[in-house]
């Protein structure tokens, strides 16, 4: 593509996207939220020892998250888009919410692998650094203390606090009395500036708070034109000159952005009764053209809050058996494989009865070691327990597609990225500005929690427990 054409595509897209970033509904009745990208995974790690420490906690973190997991008046509908930020070279993508009255904006990781909203609180007395933007309930006239504990267990630490309710805005939409966690005790380094918390986008059935999530309150109240949300994630892992923060793509609410994909969206249904994580059957993996035996359509959780792809050890070994000179990465990298960095590895995934979706060889690389080998982006993750998925499919795959999460009928869809979408992985694009969301989208009241508040012990057993690894910016949410 010529530079002039590329510049024209970017200018046209940004003229449209930033019109919604404030967030104000589009004429279609929807909203989009810009995503920001985290710094390149491992970018701030220099030695193999540091990278080993960063990687070793990942499998246990995902185990803590997924093991043992298991609900008017006709309103004006709308759509919207939130621009994202890409943090640390594709490690994490975050957007912006506004909370309280008067509204104050906060950056939150958008995570389809969990179902709770939480923020670091101004009364935090353990583990919150001065650089993190903290939520202060005393500055809001709409806050209500629910007098219930909120506890989240992490593979690399823990966070604790209490539950409250607030007015929450995103991309022009508002939910009043939304339940969320206020964290006042947190393991040092568990969250880093410029993020203040996380918004879970999975189903309410796995919410540790036992509350209906923000997105589900909107869709249940018919606030969106269509009962779905969608992601476009940028790629900067191998872009020369990329910074810690880059333009991250977009989170579309209530509509699909046809400028970001070509062809049809291919949907795969969530099995009946399995609306917890966004679980769909995976039917095939190929590596450099060779088919890998994955068993009989194992369930895969599609997770925007996780960087990598995790699966059974027996299948991961088959995958790397197709990569020339690949080998276990060593005792300090248990569960990971390494291969020569000058080797291109082409992997495809298929779901349901659908097509094969390719993963860019650059996305297969997690990080490089000092011996000329690279650690692969697939790793061993043997999950157990009722309701646990067999595979976790994170951003290593999702950067390669336009992904759609549909509430009804419950399903996940993928579409081929358009030329416009791929052109947005460009260091010349400015970061989106934080906005408090004063648009004219729908306002709904949060659903009343009917299952009660879980005890701390019960919360730790719920599969939606948030898991985060921030060493080097790698995210497993």
């Amino acid at each position: 593509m010529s530079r002039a054409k590329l510049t024209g595509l970017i200018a046209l897209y940004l003229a449209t996207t930033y019109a919604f970033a404030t967030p104000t509904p589009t004429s279609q009745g929807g909203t989009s939220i810009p995503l920001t990208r985290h710094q390149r995974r491992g970018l701030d790690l220099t030695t193999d020892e540091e990278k080993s420490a960063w990687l070793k906690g990942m499998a246990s973190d995902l185990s803590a998250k997924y093991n043992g997991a298991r609900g008017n008046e006709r309103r004006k509908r709308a759509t919207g888009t939130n621009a994202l930020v890409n943090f640390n070279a594709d490690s994490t993508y975050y957007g912006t919410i506004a909370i309280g009255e008067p509204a104050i904006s906060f950056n939150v990781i958008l995570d389809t692998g969990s179902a709770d909203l939480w923020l670091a609180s101004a009364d935090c007395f353990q583990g919150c650094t001065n650089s993190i933007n903290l939520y202060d309930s005393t500055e809001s006239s709409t806050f209500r203390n629910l007098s219930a504990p909120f506890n989240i267990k992490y593979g690399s630490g823990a966070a604790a606090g209490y539950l409250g309710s607030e007015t929450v805005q995103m991309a022009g939409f508002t939910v009043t009395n939304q339940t969320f966690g206020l964290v006042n005790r947190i393991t040092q380094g568990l969250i880093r500036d410029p993020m203040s918390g996380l918004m879970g986008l999975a189903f309410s059935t796995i919410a540790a708070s036992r509350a209906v999530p923000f997105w589900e309150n909107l869709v249940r109240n018919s606030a969106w034109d269509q009962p779905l949300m969608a992601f476009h994630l940028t790629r900067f892992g191998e872009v020369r000159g990329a910074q810690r923060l880059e333009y991250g793509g977009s989170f579309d609410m209530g509509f699909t952005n046809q400028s970001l994909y070509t062809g049809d969206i291919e949907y795969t249904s969530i099995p009946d009764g399995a609306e917890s994580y966004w679980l769909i059957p995976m039917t095939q993996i190929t590596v450099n053209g060779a088919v890998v035996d994955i068993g009989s359509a194992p369930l895969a959780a599609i997770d925007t809050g996780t960087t990598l792809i995790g699966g059974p050890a027996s299948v991961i070994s088959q995958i790397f058996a197709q990569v020339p000179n690949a080998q276990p990465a060593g005792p300090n990298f248990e569960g990971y494989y390494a291969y020569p960095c000058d080797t291109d590895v082409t992997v495809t995934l298929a779901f349901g009865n659908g097509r094969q979706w390719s993963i860019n060889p650059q996305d297969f690389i997690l990080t490089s070691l000092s011996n000329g080998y690279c650690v692969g982006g697939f790793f061993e993750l043997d999950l157990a327990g009722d309701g646990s998925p067999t595979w976790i499919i994170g951003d290593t795959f999702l950067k390669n597609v336009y992904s759609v999460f549909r509430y009804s009928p419950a399903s996940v869809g993928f579409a081929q990225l358009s030329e416009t979408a791929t052109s947005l992985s460009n260091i010349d694009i400015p970061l989106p500005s934080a906005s408090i969301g004063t648009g004219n989208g729908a306002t709904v009241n949060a659903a009343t929690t009917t299952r009660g508040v879980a005890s701390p012990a019960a919360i730790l057993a719920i599969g939606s427990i948030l898991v985060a690894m921030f060493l080097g910016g790698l995210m497993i949410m």
Side-chain angles (χ1 to χ4, degrees):
M1 186 190 335
S2 69
R3 183 173 182 82
K5 183 177 180 182
L6 174 61
T7 302
L9 283 172
I10 293 172
L12 178 62
Y13 178 79
L14 292 179
T16 304
T17 299
Y18 285 116
F20 303 136
T22 309
T24 301
T26 69
S27 58
Q28 300 172 282
T31 308
S32 293
I33 298 176
L35 296 181
T36 302
R37 172 196 177 200
H38 275 302
Q39 184 184 7
R40 173 70 173 172
R41 52 188 178 272
L43 186 64
D44 49 2
L45 302 180
T46 57
T47 69
D48 286 358
E49 288 74 18
E50 289 175 319
K51 292 174 182 178
S52 171
W54 163 47
L55 295 172
K56 286 172 71 174
M58 292 179 58
S60 61
D61 290 345
L62 276 179
S63 295
K65 178 177 182 177
Y66 284 97
N67 272 329
R70 288 305 251 211
N72 295 327
E73 172 189 6
R74 186 171 183 83
R75 302 178 184 274
K76 176 182 177 181
R77 296 184 179 185
T79 63
T81 296
N82 188 307
L84 305 179
V85 175
N86 183 326
F87 177 87
N88 200 17
D90 308 347
S91 296
T92 305
Y93 300 81
Y94 66 82
T96 303
I97 65 170
I99 190 166
E101 180 57 49
I104 298 176
S105 62
F106 294 90
N107 295 324
V108 291
I109 299 160
L110 301 181
D111 178 27
T112 60
S114 67
D116 292 282
L117 170 64
W118 64 268
L119 291 173
S121 173
D123 60 0
C124 183
F125 58 87
Q126 180 179 318
C128 295
T129 66
N130 293 333
S131 60
I132 295 173
N133 187 22
L134 303 175
Y135 167 78
D136 188 346
S137 63
T138 66
E139 295 182 352
S140 173
S141 63
T142 49
F143 172 76
R144 183 165 63 97
N145 191 332
L146 298 182
S147 301
F150 183 62
N151 295 273
I152 302 174
K153 179 70 174 180
Y154 298 82
S156 55
Y162 53 96
L163 292 175
S165 69
E166 253 294 13
T167 297
V168 179
Q169 301 178 56
M170 185 181 227
F173 296 100
T174 302
V175 176
T176 58
N177 301 309
Q178 176 66 52
T179 297
F180 73 112
L182 294 85
V183 170
N184 54 26
R185 303 183 303 282
I186 188 167
T187 301
Q188 186 70 41
L190 199 57
I191 58 173
R192 297 190 298 177
D193 175 66
M195 291 165 286
S196 298
L198 178 142
M199 174 174 277
L201 297 171
F203 292 88
S204 58
T205 52
I206 62 166
S209 62
R210 304 204 172 187
V212 177
F214 176 87
W215 76 272
E216 200 169 337
N217 276 312
L218 290 171
V219 75
R220 286 187 185 187
N221 283 277
S222 301
W224 291 346
D225 275 7
Q226 301 176 60
L228 54 78
M229 51 193 173
F231 282 88
H232 161 238
L233 306 178
T234 57
R235 173 190 294 108
F236 283 90
E238 297 300 323
V239 175
R240 187 178 301 275
Q243 302 299 307
R244 181 171 180 262
L245 303 180
E246 293 285 357
Y247 177 77
S250 60
F251 173 46
D252 299 324
M253 304 169 70
F255 78 114
T256 57
N257 188 334
Q258 295 183 14
S259 72
L260 295 176
Y261 66 92
T262 62
D264 295 331
I265 298 171
E266 181 181 277
Y267 286 99
T268 300
S269 296
I270 295 174
D272 290 343
E275 294 88 348
S276 53
Y277 306 107
W278 293 92
L279 296 173
I280 55 175
M282 185 162 64
T283 48
Q284 189 179 76
I285 297 178
T286 71
V287 183
N288 293 335
V291 177
V292 174
D293 181 10
I294 62 172
S296 180
L299 290 180
I302 311 303
D303 187 350
T304 60
T306 294
T307 306
L308 304 182
I309 295 176
S314 60
V315 183
I316 298 299
S317 64
Q318 290 183 61
I319 289 173
F320 284 95
Q322 303 301 323
V323 180
N325 299 311
Q327 59 191 33
N332 292 328
F333 298 88
E334 186 176 356
Y336 295 87
Y337 284 76
Y339 65 98
C341 292
D342 59 3
T343 302
D344 279 346
V345 181
T346 301
V347 176
T348 69
L349 307 181
F351 303 90
N353 297 317
R355 56 167 286 185
Q356 295 179 349
W357 300 98
S358 295
I359 296 175
N360 187 307
Q362 292 300 324
D363 294 328
F364 190 77
I365 300 172
L366 172 58
T367 191
S368 60
L369 303 178
S370 58
N371 60 0
Y373 271 62
C374 283
V375 178
F378 283 59
F379 73 110
E380 296 175 357
L381 180 67
D382 289 301
L383 297 171
D386 294 339
S388 297
T390 303
W391 289 83
I392 311 301
I393 308 298
D395 301 334
T396 290
F397 170 73
L398 294 173
K399 286 179 288 183
N400 295 272
V401 294
Y402 185 75
S403 55
V404 184
F405 300 82
R406 188 168 63 179
Y407 180 76
S408 179
S411 51
V412 178
F414 302 120
Q416 186 71 43
L417 292 175
S418 68
E419 189 177 30
T420 297
T422 57
S423 71
L424 294 171
S425 296
N426 187 307
I427 61 175
D428 294 328
I429 297 177
L431 293 178
S433 301
S435 55
I436 62 173
T438 56
N440 59 354
T443 297
V444 304
N445 189 52
T448 302
T449 301
T450 57
R451 294 183 290 148
V453 176
S455 68
I459 289 175
L460 295 182
I462 296 174
S464 65
I465 289 173
L466 171 66
V467 181
M469 274 294 293
F470 276 88
L471 293 177
L474 183 68
M475 300 300 301
I476 306 177
M477 307 306 281

